[in-house]
Amino acid sequence: MDTATADPTGTDDGTGRGSAGRRFGARCAAALFAGVSVVVGCRTADTDAITPVPQLLAFLPWLLVPAAGGLLLTVLARWWTGAVWGVALLGALAWFVEPYGRTGEPPGPPVAALRVLTGNVEFGQATGSLIDAVRREKPDLVFVQECEYGCDAALKRELADTFPHRRAVEGGGSEGSVVLSRFPLRATGGVPATMGMPGAVADVGGHTVRLQLAHPMPPLPGQVDLWRRELGGLRDAAVAAGDVPAVFAGDFNASRDHAAFRRVLDTGLRDAARLAGAGRAPTWPSRTAPAFGTQIDHVLVSEEFTARRARFLDLAGSDHRALVVDLTLHVRR
């Protein structure tokens, strides 16, 4: 049997001998493309699927690197069918890098300006750095995740005069969460979850604003269904807010490349960082951001808000960057 024509990658040089180097390059490219194609296929199908897809979806824009590397290998191997495959993958990835979610003009004139800060202090280790950031940035609302007992006590001791109103879920480790406010707060049900997700209703200059801290479980192997359910709880809370202006802020453990997070955005909430032109700035892991990472810390707002500016702050001791956004509340005509 003549096996010289049995190369499925099509890299044979036509003499029946072929190039071993080209075949190897084409096979490497095919392996890269296959992995990227699974993730891109799930993104196209609007599903988070199963491990490891949810974890890889968080870093979807970075898949441009293996896709581009595979395309280079196809050119060197003269595997033109593979080159078409690579170009298609790059095009799909470029398409998905574009923003997702609604934008539009606010429904009426501005009535109040407010600054929101959200930060994950990683088991309370970054509490001191967060307090310094709060004093420096002077936010009106602060959402703190992984605020264990020591963190909670420090916030009461250091910031009670500045933020006389608070809602909290006390807990150790990653379970504690706190909302601090300059505005009067009224208690409301939060979102039941493994880690604390307290809610409140704020009186912002005579206007009611629904507040919700977000901290669902991360999509760890074996916990993807739990992560999906807790994000679903946030989605349900956004729907229940109805026409009341709303701010949902915190560590969502999800990016807009996750279908479960897009379902939250589909309620009409908009990502304030995106509105301010920073929709892809990484917040985690802080040790490699901003050079490498993903944005999983968000401030989501209803259509009554516009966002003027978004900034990302390093918190010593935390694996997350804090997010500060300047918002304007508008009233419906």
Side-chain angles (χ1 to χ4, degrees):
M1 178 185 293
D2 182 2
T3 60
T5 60
D7 184 359
T9 65
T11 59
D12 196 293
D13 63 5
T15 67
R17 292 187 296 272
S19 167
R22 289 177 183 172
R23 286 197 300 271
F24 178 75
R27 288 165 183 161
C28 289
L32 289 171
F33 290 163
V36 174
S37 293
V38 170
V39 181
V40 170
C42 290
R43 178 65 174 84
T44 303
D46 200 27
T47 177
D48 295 317
I50 60 175
T51 297
V53 173
Q55 294 82 6
L56 292 173
L57 279 169
F59 298 95
L60 185 74
W62 298 100
L63 295 183
L64 288 163
V65 175
L71 182 60
L72 177 60
L73 288 172
T74 65
V75 173
L76 294 174
R78 301 179 187 176
W79 179 32
W80 308 123
T81 301
V84 172
W85 186 4
V87 168
L89 283 177
L90 287 172
L93 288 167
W95 174 264
F96 290 132
V97 167
E98 290 299 306
Y100 180 89
R102 304 176 188 177
T103 58
E105 294 299 318
V111 294
L114 60 156
R115 177 171 291 176
V116 176
L117 186 153
T118 180
N120 181 321
V121 294
E122 194 176 2
F123 311 121
Q125 296 174 133
T127 301
S129 183
L130 176 82
I131 291 172
D132 291 342
V134 167
R135 288 172 171 162
R136 184 174 64 251
E137 300 296 332
K138 297 178 172 56
D140 301 292
L141 296 169
V142 182
F143 296 78
V144 189
Q145 304 90 59
E146 301 195 16
C147 186
E148 42 70 71
Y149 298 112
C151 165
D152 191 32
L155 295 183
K156 289 176 181 176
R157 183 177 63 251
E158 301 292 336
L159 298 177
D161 291 342
T162 306
F163 298 93
H165 311 285
R166 71 190 331 258
R167 289 285 292 163
V169 173
E170 295 184 353
S174 64
E175 296 177 1
S177 293
V178 179
V179 178
L180 303 177
S181 174
R182 296 181 189 269
F183 308 113
L185 296 180
R186 187 172 77 250
T188 188
V191 175
T194 308
M195 298 182 287
M197 295 203 284
V201 175
D203 182 345
V204 180
H207 302 277
T208 298
V209 176
R210 171 76 164 88
L211 306 179
Q212 178 60 55
L213 185 145
H215 196 202
M217 287 293 287
L220 299 174
Q223 295 182 342
V224 171
D225 288 342
L226 177 60
W227 164 77
R228 190 179 289 113
R229 285 197 303 272
E230 293 188 353
L231 279 169
L234 289 167
R235 180 190 181 280
D236 293 343
V239 171
D243 293 332
V244 176
V247 176
F248 283 47
D251 171 12
F252 283 78
N253 277 311
S255 77
R256 67 182 189 223
D257 294 309
H258 288 114
F261 183 70
R262 292 195 298 278
R263 299 296 76 80
V264 179
L265 295 176
D266 288 345
T267 65
L269 293 178
R270 301 181 295 174
D271 194 316
R274 176 204 167 182
L275 296 177
R280 284 288 184 183
T283 62
W284 178 88
S286 63
R287 291 167 183 83
T288 58
F292 175 81
T294 181
Q295 188 176 117
I296 60 174
D297 300 86
H298 307 275
V299 174
L300 305 185
V301 296
S302 58
E303 65 177 354
E304 291 84 5
F305 289 93
T306 54
R308 300 186 306 279
R309 185 171 64 153
R311 288 172 294 120
F312 301 87
L313 313 176
D314 292 329
L315 296 179
S318 176
D319 56 347
H320 290 251
R321 300 166 81 198
L323 169 60
V324 182
V325 295
D326 293 326
L327 303 174
T328 301
L329 173 62
H330 300 250
V331 294
R332 296 179 182 274
R333 292 186 177 91

